[in-house]
Amino acid sequence: MSKKLAPILLFVYNRSWHAEQTLIALSKNDLANESELFIYADGPKKNCSTEDLNNIKKVRDLIKSKSWCGKVHVIESAVNLGIEASEINAITEKVNEYGRVIVLEDDHVTAPGFLSFINRGLDLYENVPNVYAVNGFVFNIPYPKQKAVLMPMTSAWGWGTWKNKWATFDPEIKQKDFIINNEFLSHRFNLGDFDHTALLNHPDNPWDIRWQYSVFIRHGLCLFPTQSLVRNIGLDGSGTHYTKKSELEDHPLGSSLIDFEIENKIDLEYYGLFLNHFKKEELTLVKRLKSKLNKTNR
């Protein structure tokens, strides 16, 4: 299948039900038994409640209760690092060690073909200079063909990348003011009616916006399936970034039967439908996504 299967990095904290659904789905993936899994369990915040401590313990008991993949490593932090530092540090360490990684969070339920899709994409596009990541999640866009397409955007919900592409990650987003203060650049950086630009100026600077920025300034593309292979079940008020229930929790999942053709250009047919669909969505969806700024539990 693959030259070498990418290690999977999974980030968990205090949501045992969500983490269990994520791990069960991952264990049912076609390549799970052949894959290496690193589970990063974040530690308690200062002065956290007894309830939080119990929830953290439940998660840690869960992740050590089964062999969810072929080989499992559990990394438990004694202190709370937060999702931003946890992911950036772990991705950097492991992608430098293995050359490629797959990244999941504790609310990403994957289709059985997710690992196959990401690993195949990482194989086929490794040497395509303008492709920066392979993503499993995509919004539910009515489209008759099930295939892989390139689009000028990133996604943080189930994805993979390579060492040389992650090396371009700019955590300081040094040129953000040029995007913020230029109407044309700001419009290009945004996703339809979703104001990505506003997130550039937020004091917390979510890591995935910094990744989007790093790819954007290089005119980079990312690979996506036209039918999502990931469903986010954490939009129920329990997570760090999202605090309201969303229709994305019922996002349908595609199969692993996806056509691959190596390209280095945007699929304009699909991308045009994608942008049109997103702009037509009611602003309640955009508002829900913007609740990413309201960090609650991590």
Side-chain angles (χ1 to χ4, degrees):
M1 159 68 195
S2 176
K3 300 173 185 176
K4 186 176 181 181
L5 296 181
I8 306 155
L9 315 184
L10 172 62
F11 299 89
V12 301
Y13 179 45
N14 65 354
R15 299 187 292 175
S16 58
W17 180 83
H18 298 78
E20 184 175 26
Q21 306 314 303
T22 295
L23 283 164
I24 290 172
L26 179 62
S27 69
K28 294 178 179 178
N29 261 253
D30 299 333
L31 297 177
N33 289 336
E34 304 169 47
S35 297
E36 191 167 6
L37 172 64
F38 293 84
I39 307 178
Y40 293 84
D42 206 358
K45 294 179 178 179
K46 290 182 180 179
N47 303 317
C48 75
S49 66
T50 302
E51 181 182 3
D52 256 351
L53 287 174
N54 289 336
N55 288 334
I56 290 169
K57 183 181 184 302
K58 285 181 183 178
V59 169
R60 295 186 176 198
D61 290 343
L62 168 72
I63 60 181
K64 291 180 282 189
S65 66
K66 294 181 182 179
S67 297
W68 305 100
C69 286
K71 190 173 184 181
V72 180
H73 311 268
V74 174
I75 302 94
E76 298 177 328
S77 177
V79 298
N80 188 269
L81 300 175
I83 192 67
E84 315 301 340
S86 294
E87 295 207 23
I88 292 171
N89 294 341
I91 293 169
T92 301
E93 177 188 354
K94 292 306 176 186
V95 81
N96 286 337
E97 180 180 351
Y98 288 86
R100 54 177 66 183
V101 291
I102 296 171
V103 184
L104 289 168
E105 294 178 8
D106 61 358
D107 51 12
H108 297 167
V109 170
T110 54
F114 168 77
L115 290 178
S116 297
F117 177 82
I118 301 293
N119 277 292
R120 189 177 181 196
L122 289 173
D123 280 351
L124 293 178
Y125 283 87
E126 182 175 16
N127 297 315
V128 181
N130 62 332
V131 176
Y132 283 73
V134 183
N135 301 280
F137 173 84
V138 71
F139 287 94
N140 186 24
I141 312 299
Y143 189 68
K145 304 172 189 174
Q146 188 164 323
K147 63 177 185 176
V149 297
L150 291 171
M151 295 195 290
M153 53 178 288
T154 61
S155 172
W157 295 351
W159 61 288
T161 192
W162 308 266
K163 176 181 177 180
N164 63 330
K165 300 303 173 58
W166 182 251
T168 68
F169 179 67
D170 177 8
E172 298 177 8
I173 47 178
K174 301 179 184 73
Q175 299 188 78
K176 68 177 182 178
D177 288 341
F178 294 108
I179 298 174
I180 293 168
N181 296 320
N182 184 285
E183 184 178 356
F184 176 73
L185 290 175
S186 178
H187 178 74
R188 283 196 58 206
F189 189 74
N190 291 341
L191 176 59
D193 292 329
F194 181 29
D195 190 3
H196 270 155
T197 304
L199 297 178
L200 286 173
N201 228 5
H202 191 269
D204 288 320
N205 288 134
W207 75 264
D208 52 324
I209 292 299
R210 289 182 270 176
W211 177 231
Q212 167 72 14
Y213 162 89
S214 303
V215 174
F216 173 82
I217 63 174
R218 291 170 175 81
H219 300 287
L221 304 177
C222 294
L223 191 71
F224 290 84
T226 53
Q227 294 182 17
S228 189
L229 298 172
V230 179
R231 180 187 298 117
N232 190 311
I233 60 169
L235 309 178
D236 55 1
S238 65
T240 298
H241 288 153
Y242 297 90
T243 58
K244 295 182 181 179
K245 186 175 175 64
S246 168
E247 60 270 31
L248 293 179
E249 288 186 83
D250 298 320
H251 200 295
L253 295 181
S255 75
S256 59
L257 301 176
I258 296 175
D259 293 332
F260 272 80
E261 294 180 11
I262 297 181
E263 299 276 5
N264 62 359
K265 61 182 184 296
I266 299 170
D267 188 300
L268 291 179
E269 178 188 20
Y270 181 79
Y271 187 51
L273 291 172
F274 181 91
L275 291 179
N276 287 340
H277 180 82
F278 203 88
K279 290 181 71 67
K280 288 176 182 177
E281 290 287 336
E282 293 183 4
L283 287 180
T284 50
L285 173 57
V286 176
K287 288 176 181 176
R288 284 173 177 174
L289 291 171
K290 282 184 178 179
S291 67
K292 181 171 189 171
L293 298 177
N294 301 320
K295 299 192 173 187
T296 56
N297 293 338
R298 289 282 287 279

